[in-house]
Amino acid sequence: MTPGTTNNPRSGEPVRLQQFGFAESQYERPNQPWVCGRLCNGRPCHIGPDAKGNCLATSECHPVRKGDRWHCTRPASRGGACDIGPLPDGSCCKSVTPCQPVRSVRGKRGQVVFWSVAASLGILAAILFSPARMSFIQPGELSSAHGQVLKDTAACSQCHTAAGSADSREGSTPDAWLTAALGASTSAIAESENCLKCHRDTPGLRVNPLNPHSIDPQRLAASHDDRKPAAGRKSLRWMLASLGPDVPETHDKQIACATCHVEHRGKDHRLAHMSNQQCQACHQAKFNSLADGHPEFTRFTYDKRTPIVFDHEGHTRYSQQKTKSFDCASCHQPDVSGRHMITASFAAACSSCHASQMENPGKGLMVLHLPGMDVDTLKEFAESGGPWMGVWPKGADYDIDGKLSPFMRLLLASDTKVAAALAAIPAKMQLNDLTGATKEQKEAAVAIAWGVKELFHDLATRGHEALRERLAKSLATTIDARELAALTAELPADTTALAQQRWLPDVLETVPLHRAGKPIPETPVKKVAPPPPPIPPPTPKPKANDLFDDEPAPPKPPVPPASKPKPADLFDCGGDLFDDEDDAKPAVKSPAAQPATKKPDLFDDDDDDVKHPAPPAAPAATVAPPAIRAPLLPPEQRALAGGWYLDDDTFAIRYRSVGHANAFIRQWLATTARATSPDSAASSPGKAAFDALRADAGASCVKCHSVDAVRDGAGRAALMINWTPKQRAADERPFVKFNHRPHRSLPELADCKVCHTMTKSDVAAKYGSLDPHRASPQHAGFAPLTVQKCATCHQPNLAGDSCLKCHNYHITR
Amino acid sequence: MQTFARRRRSALILTLLSAALLVVFLWAYKQRLASSAFVSGWILFAIMLVLTAYNLRKKVPFLPLMKSSTWLQIHLYLGLITIVLFLAHVGLRVPNGGLEVTIAALYVIVAGTGLLGLFITRSFPKRLSVRGEEVLFERMPIYRRTLSDRAEKLVLDAVAETNTTTIADYYKLRLAGFFAGFRNYWHHLVESHRPRHTFATEFSDLDRYLSDRERQIVGELSQIVYVKDDLDYQHALQKTLKGWLFVHIAATYSLLVFVVAHIIVVHAFHGGLR
């Protein structure tokens, strides 16, 4: 028996249903859309319907006339010619009742396809033109962060410009989508502005949010270094990744938010998550992982020097010598979050050793003073036709310093003529010794003297306002009330007035005359040959007013009423704030040595024109009875608690700063630093003042508080003093982030020195440059951290080595 | 001339290589922060158009557009590649937006029926050649009617001849409905012989009630029944061979409608990303 057949039980031959042959079967046309309706009964007609489904069968045959007879044409497959034959009129004798044609298999399939497409279009149109269209086309749930605030359909327009305005709750229509899809599309950068409407204030996105790492492209280019991963580290993965296109950035090198942050991935999707490969998409030097190819930490964490100059190794060594403990925890404690280790305050960390240095500053700073002037030389100069500086107080000549303090120089520099005069005097020349000075230098000295007088005149008449004007002019900046208060340390106006009255009582009259260009009184005249002096009668020597005045007073123009006692030399040492030499010993004056004149009281409520009592006429032959007075401490001792005091010995108004963080010195250093441009090699008054303060009174401040060259918002360079240890803003986002807390919780890392290994350092070299970023571990006093140390734990199957674990992308600094 | 096995092996290797290259290319796209979905989407759409064109190509056989069998081979292997591309396009995630879910469901139907059709078209012809007479599907109703008439005539003749209604009663009870249409579709699809065995059992049970002549008649009748059963088997398989295309082609065009909508929406809302 042939497989697939059934045999006839009678004959044993296979039963064959299908016959092939012209006479046995008709030709099937399965591609035609309609078939006879009687096919399902198994009795289809042989004619079949037309293409439109109309039944064409009317009879079993179409008779053909041959000669005068009609012949039946029924096909052999239908039984051949019938017995009856066609009717005489030529019609077939066997009529066929028309059927209702049905679709063939292919026709039915076409119908199904048609209605399927129609249904799809209908459903799509119904949904897309309904209010629910935005929900329908939404490609997935929003992440939980966005989903909480963007809830309704109008929310689509918050991020998608194509979604229409936020006013329309139903969103834009499909025709608008078609227009948007076919027309010019919105730029990705413009679309990112939708993100920034809400995220503009996010830390890291306030400035340059679309630039790589949110920093200025020029700064980014400048921060590029040539460190490359070790050769041969490029894996197959990177070679395959290089098949991709260039990183999608605009012509101005910006990257759209959606390039990295892909939404609509479900509420648990982490928008900020990036693979390590994606992080490195823009980097030319790529590496495989932290342990394999990551550039070495040549500078981290010491790429920026600390604000406070501190030699860790030196202090450790010193403490060991003194058998004191020097524990890291003494100065470094975790902040509230545990993330950062913050440096303790001066009081907590440094005062135990360093406070005493600041509590006894000696005589203090010589702020406002009269310089010592070579009166004789200048008088001769005046007599020979040069300008005259007017009356200069006795004692303010050779016996006191002929150099101006930084404060005086800055205040005098506000006047261009005086500034030029200051520049004309060489650095080595002192005003109290003009021997060998040129004519121009003498003129300059006179100008300086008048400048000093004008200063005291202005201070006496206008007080602090005069100071503010002069400082603003010299520093080319504005001085507000707060800054003025700090710069003056609340200098009592009466103090400057008293100083003027004591030292320069005539300036109130002479300065206006000088300023008006009028001659002042007692101008020396041109010298003529003096007559031979007569033999003077013996005259009693006037009672000496100062202890050490061995020379008789020469005939001079009237001296100012106040005659000063000659100060004790012991107490005039100059202005080093932290001069540790013990030279400020108060000298107890013997009663006999007390000046005869009573010094005016600082708080004397008498008239402004304090007329100093004329020196008492020395009695001819009587000896003054010894005065019984309490010993007068030196003025700096009387101002033990700090503040302003008059030092008549040196014709100076001094300021005595006591303790750490004195506001006066701090403000002067800060103000003059601000006016100093590190870009310019030329000296400005502010720069000169700052340099002088650094070297003199400010030395101890900047010994520990580093000075950085910075740029303000307008790009102007200036100096900035770091008064505090590193301060971290709450929303700071550095490029490298490190959290101490989880690390310190490990017993292996409890000791700070595991990671921060101290080395001998060159602290001075570290701070020689004003650029805070020019630092290195060698200068920091610590050995650099190594990648391997971190990679011990930070591996994919351990603590994790994702780029984002240690790095921020959007940074604030 | 290449054997079918060798051709299939080389085509499969080429398909796998192409799919692997596409995956690597799309992965590289993603690593460069570019949107691989655009690339994969457009490639997918282009391939879908080529796949759909096979149906159109069969409607214009007179044009010199390569043989249909060649088109079929291209259709098969490109179809396999679309599975890889689709998974890459959706990022191995289950879509959860209305439009995307619809597209994904339609794609699954199309791909699923495509794979089913591949299996059917490779396995059913062999089964068709093993059992029953291979007849044209369009003629099967005619042959069913022939067998039905033959069986009915035999039964009526048996009644007249034997003067008993045993066979007629049995015919009326069990065989009339059997011969009235095509039966036991699912049994034949899964190659079950239960209907045939059931009839054999019934005939055997009927035997004790029959005379010798009736037994002869039942013997003939049983052969007709078995031929009908074979015809049903052929009908079931051939119907399936034609029927799966109803789903596959209809779903394909529906999928294209939704895909076009998806392309418009994506390009309207992509926000400038590429």
Side-chain angles (χ1 to χ4, degrees):
Chain A
M1 181 169 142
T2 309
T5 61
T6 306
N7 287 349
N8 190 318
R10 289 185 187 170
S11 62
E13 293 178 356
V15 175
R16 289 219 173 272
L17 294 170
Q18 183 162 263
Q19 304 293 326
F20 290 100
F22 180 78
E24 288 82 18
S25 65
Q26 64 185 42
Y27 193 74
E28 302 295 338
R29 291 183 174 81
N31 58 317
Q32 290 184 344
W34 296 92
V35 295
C36 178
R38 296 195 177 89
L39 177 62
C40 59
N41 290 333
R43 297 241 194 273
C45 72
H46 63 284
I47 301 170
D50 62 8
K52 293 184 182 171
N54 301 315
C55 180
L56 299 175
T58 53
S59 56
E60 287 194 12
C61 79
H62 294 285
V64 168
R65 190 184 174 99
K66 289 181 184 173
D68 58 349
R69 291 195 67 187
W70 291 94
H71 295 273
C72 176
T73 59
R74 193 169 70 177
S77 60
R78 306 298 294 180
C82 65
D83 298 332
I84 302 171
L87 297 173
D89 60 357
S91 59
C92 179
C93 62
K94 294 185 185 291
S95 64
V96 173
T97 308
C99 73
Q100 179 53 53
V102 296
R103 290 191 180 272
S104 64
V105 172
R106 180 159 296 189
K108 285 179 186 165
R109 196 174 74 195
Q111 283 278 291
V112 169
V113 171
F114 173 81
W115 286 110
S116 172
V117 171
S120 300
L121 284 170
I123 291 170
L124 204 56
I127 294 174
L128 294 184
F129 285 95
S130 74
R133 57 180 171 273
M134 300 306 289
S135 303
F136 180 70
I137 66 169
Q138 186 179 358
E141 265 188 316
L142 291 172
S143 61
S144 60
H146 287 146
Q148 291 172 39
V149 294
L150 302 172
K151 289 191 185 125
D152 54 23
T153 51
C156 300
S157 57
Q158 299 291 329
C159 302
H160 295 284
T161 307
S165 71
D167 299 331
S168 167
R169 290 196 60 81
E170 297 175 354
S172 55
T173 52
D175 53 329
W177 304 344
L178 190 62
T179 307
L182 298 176
S185 61
T186 177
S187 76
I189 299 301
E191 202 80 350
S192 298
E193 289 298 325
N194 293 335
C195 308
L196 293 173
K197 276 185 210 161
C198 296
H199 288 284
R200 182 73 70 180
D201 284 333
T202 302
L205 298 180
R206 294 187 184 117
V207 182
N208 301 317
L210 301 181
N211 288 102
H213 290 296
S214 299
I215 58 178
D216 185 74
Q218 290 168 348
R219 185 185 151 202
L220 182 67
S223 65
H224 171 81
D225 60 34
D226 293 328
R227 285 181 294 170
K228 286 183 171 41
R233 291 270 176 95
K234 216 142 186 214
S235 65
L236 175 66
R237 178 187 283 175
W238 282 119
M239 286 192 274
L240 292 176
S242 62
L243 295 174
D246 287 336
V247 174
E249 55 185 15
T250 64
H251 66 282
D252 51 355
K253 305 297 181 191
Q254 291 185 321
I255 299 177
C257 302
T259 301
C260 304
H261 302 292
V262 182
E263 249 293 5
H264 293 290
R265 295 284 178 92
K267 60 179 186 293
D268 295 328
H269 175 63
R270 291 182 293 161
L271 277 172
H273 176 74
M274 299 281 286
S275 68
N276 289 348
Q277 285 67 39
Q278 285 176 311
C279 281
Q280 298 185 66
C282 303
H283 296 180
Q284 293 181 9
K286 300 184 194 324
F287 53 90
N288 301 322
S289 67
L290 178 66
D292 183 11
H294 187 283
E296 192 52 71
F297 301 154
T298 51
R299 296 189 304 163
F300 180 72
T301 60
Y302 312 110
D303 51 350
K304 187 175 184 296
R305 62 182 186 203
T306 54
I308 305 299
V309 182
F310 190 79
D311 182 359
H312 285 84
E313 192 271 337
H315 277 75
T316 305
R317 194 165 16 94
Y318 178 82
S319 299
Q320 287 168 354
Q321 289 170 2
K322 299 289 181 188
T323 62
K324 282 185 186 178
S325 70
F326 188 67
D327 185 33
C328 304
S330 310
C331 302
H332 298 287
Q333 288 292 324
D335 63 3
V336 173
S337 66
R339 178 177 280 270
H340 304 297
M341 301 299 285
I342 53 177
T343 307
S345 65
F346 175 87
C350 316
S351 61
S352 59
C353 298
H354 292 283
S356 57
Q357 296 173 351
M358 302 171 197
E359 283 162 6
N360 190 8
K363 287 178 79 73
L365 289 167
M366 192 158 63
V367 181
L368 300 166
H369 68 101
L370 302 182
M373 300 295 289
D374 189 347
V375 178
D376 294 335
T377 304
L378 291 175
K379 190 174 177 194
E380 286 174 13
F381 182 59
E383 288 169 354
S384 63
W388 172 230
M389 69 176 181
V391 173
W392 198 252
K394 186 172 163 51
D397 42 26
Y398 314 103
D399 299 317
I400 63 173
D401 195 3
K403 286 205 174 289
L404 286 163
S405 71
F407 304 95
M408 285 296 290
R409 294 185 77 90
L410 189 64
L411 290 168
L412 293 177
S414 62
D415 186 333
T416 50
K417 279 198 307 187
V418 180
L422 288 169
I425 303 293
K428 290 184 181 172
M429 183 177 281
Q430 295 220 11
L431 292 169
N432 61 359
D433 183 10
L434 296 173
T435 309
T438 63
K439 175 170 172 281
E440 290 75 21
Q441 288 166 350
K442 290 176 187 171
E443 286 174 353
V446 171
I448 291 171
W450 276 112
V452 172
K453 285 188 173 183
E454 284 175 356
L455 172 63
F456 275 86
H457 169 272
D458 293 342
L459 288 174
T461 56
R462 294 168 48 219
H464 292 170
E465 183 56 27
L467 278 174
R468 192 193 63 78
E469 272 182 18
R470 284 172 176 265
L471 285 172
K473 222 172 173 182
S474 296
L475 298 172
T477 183
T478 52
I479 307 287
D480 59 20
R482 185 202 57 80
E483 196 171 3
L484 182 64
L487 287 170
T488 57
E490 299 168 357
L491 169 65
D494 289 345
T495 303
T496 51
L498 186 64
Q500 174 266 315
Q501 288 155 20
R502 278 189 186 176
W503 307 333
L504 301 167
D506 66 330
V507 293
L508 294 179
E509 288 85 27
T510 56
V511 164
L513 288 172
H514 172 75
R515 279 178 169 159
K518 294 185 178 163
I520 58 166
E522 298 164 18
T523 302
V525 295
K526 200 169 169 92
K527 237 181 171 168
V528 296
I535 300 172
T539 54
K541 218 172 183 182
K543 191 154 175 119
N545 284 330
D546 53 327
L547 283 172
F548 304 99
D549 187 6
D550 293 329
E551 298 174 2
K556 282 185 195 170
V559 298
S563 58
K564 291 193 173 342
K566 191 94 170 131
D569 288 336
L570 283 174
F571 307 123
D572 186 359
C573 301
D576 190 346
L577 176 66
F578 296 98
D579 188 350
D580 285 338
E581 293 178 8
D582 206 4
D583 56 355
K585 289 198 181 61
V588 179
K589 294 186 181 174
S590 66
Q594 295 301 319
T597 56
K598 180 170 175 265
K599 282 194 179 163
D601 192 347
L602 273 173
F603 299 100
D604 193 346
D605 286 336
D606 288 347
D607 256 357
D608 291 344
D609 301 336
V610 174
K611 298 230 181 317
H612 296 278
T622 56
V623 177
I628 301 173
R629 305 180 70 153
L632 199 63
L633 286 177
E636 64 273 14
Q637 292 245 325
R638 280 181 270 132
L640 197 65
W644 296 99
Y645 70 95
L646 282 179
D647 185 5
D648 292 319
D649 294 341
T650 56
F651 295 91
I653 303 175
R654 291 181 182 266
Y655 181 84
R656 207 164 175 277
S657 69
V658 176
H660 178 253
N662 180 267
F664 174 74
I665 296 176
R666 178 175 170 154
Q667 189 61 55
W668 270 92
L669 283 169
T671 301
T672 51
R674 198 178 76 223
T676 302
S677 171
D679 289 346
S680 172
S683 180
S684 65
K687 185 175 187 302
F690 179 71
D691 289 341
L693 285 169
R694 279 182 83 173
D696 184 3
S700 58
C701 292
V702 295
K703 193 174 167 186
C704 299
H705 295 279
S706 62
V707 180
D708 293 342
V710 296
R711 290 196 182 272
D712 62 10
R716 286 188 300 256
L719 296 183
M720 184 187 76
I721 302 173
N722 296 303
W723 296 114
T724 57
K726 191 169 187 175
Q727 302 286 322
R728 284 187 175 83
D731 56 356
E732 180 185 86
R733 287 178 62 91
F735 180 63
V736 179
K737 57 184 180 182
F738 183 81
N739 188 348
H740 277 87
R741 171 173 279 176
H743 292 86
R744 293 179 73 242
S745 65
L746 299 172
E748 303 89 344
L749 300 179
D751 184 5
C752 305
K753 297 187 190 64
V754 172
C755 296
H756 300 285
T757 308
M758 272 189 263
T759 60
K760 217 166 165 48
S761 65
D762 187 355
V763 176
K766 178 180 172 184
Y767 292 92
S769 163
L770 294 174
D771 185 352
H773 297 286
R774 286 195 180 276
S776 69
Q778 292 81 8
H779 297 156
F782 290 94
L785 276 172
T786 60
V787 171
Q788 195 50 45
K789 191 167 264 186
C790 300
T792 306
C793 297
H794 282 280
Q795 296 179 25
N797 54 337
L798 296 176
D801 68 346
S802 161
C803 299
L804 295 174
K805 202 161 209 41
C806 303
H807 294 290
N808 285 315
Y809 176 80
H810 292 289
I811 63 176
T812 53
R813 64 173 182 86
Chain B
M1 185 173 155
Q2 257 192 346
T3 62
F4 176 74
R6 183 181 288 180
R7 189 184 69 195
R8 184 168 61 186
R9 190 169 47 235
S10 54
L12 268 176
I13 290 171
L14 185 65
T15 302
L16 284 171
L17 273 175
S18 304
L21 272 174
L22 272 171
V23 168
V24 168
F25 176 69
L26 291 172
W27 174 85
Y29 237 80
K30 214 170 172 181
Q31 300 317 306
R32 304 288 287 171
L33 299 179
S35 178
S36 63
F38 277 92
V39 177
S40 62
W42 278 111
I43 296 175
L44 200 53
F45 183 62
I47 292 179
M48 284 169 64
L49 290 178
V50 172
L51 294 174
T52 309
Y54 177 48
N55 189 36
L56 300 172
R57 187 259 174 272
K58 287 200 286 182
K59 292 188 192 307
V60 284
F62 47 87
L63 288 177
L65 296 172
M66 295 192 294
K67 292 192 294 183
S68 182
S69 59
T70 307
W71 273 83
L72 177 62
Q73 291 299 302
I74 295 172
H75 185 91
L76 290 176
Y77 293 108
L78 276 183
L80 291 174
I81 289 178
T82 62
I83 296 174
V84 174
L85 259 181
F86 180 78
L87 291 173
H89 184 67
V90 300
L92 294 176
R93 292 173 295 111
V94 176
N96 57 359
L99 183 58
E100 260 96 31
V101 166
T102 307
I103 291 172
L106 284 170
Y107 176 80
V108 168
I109 292 171
V110 171
T113 52
L115 289 172
L116 181 68
L118 179 63
F119 168 73
I120 289 173
T121 55
R122 292 294 178 266
S123 61
F124 278 19
K126 198 186 304 181
R127 289 169 61 182
L128 285 169
S129 65
V130 168
R131 177 177 164 184
E133 183 183 352
E134 292 180 76
V135 297
L136 292 172
F137 181 77
E138 289 75 14
R139 293 177 182 174
M140 284 185 183
I142 300 171
Y143 302 138
R144 179 202 59 77
R145 183 60 184 266
T146 304
L147 290 172
S148 173
D149 290 346
R150 198 181 294 175
E152 193 174 318
K153 183 175 182 303
L154 189 63
V155 168
L156 288 172
D157 290 346
V159 170
E161 187 178 333
T162 62
N163 217 19
T164 58
T165 60
T166 309
I167 299 173
D169 289 341
Y170 175 72
Y171 178 86
K172 185 181 169 187
L173 185 68
R174 283 285 286 127
L175 299 180
F178 173 72
F179 281 106
F182 295 102
R183 304 287 179 241
N184 301 315
Y185 172 82
W186 294 108
H187 287 95
H188 292 310
L189 207 58
V190 298
E191 199 78 33
S192 170
H193 293 270
R194 176 180 283 197
R196 201 179 184 96
H197 290 156
T198 304
F199 280 122
T201 305
E202 288 172 358
F203 286 139
S204 172
D205 291 344
L206 194 64
D207 188 73
R208 71 182 73 178
Y209 304 106
L210 301 175
S211 61
D212 292 337
R213 175 60 187 144
E214 284 172 333
R215 286 194 189 98
Q216 280 182 339
I217 294 169
V218 166
E220 288 179 34
L221 187 61
S222 67
Q223 292 303 310
I224 297 172
V225 166
Y226 295 148
V227 170
K228 169 62 171 52
D229 186 61
D230 289 340
L231 186 66
D232 287 344
Y233 176 83
Q234 291 281 321
H235 180 265
L237 266 57
Q238 289 204 31
K239 184 178 176 183
T240 306
L241 277 170
K242 292 183 187 304
W244 75 274
L245 284 171
F246 278 63
V247 180
H248 185 70
I249 296 176
T252 297
Y253 285 102
S254 292
L255 175 64
L256 283 176
V257 168
F258 280 93
V259 163
V260 168
H262 173 69
I263 291 173
I264 293 172
V265 167
V266 164
H267 281 270
F269 285 86
H270 68 73
L273 280 180
R274 284 283 181 263

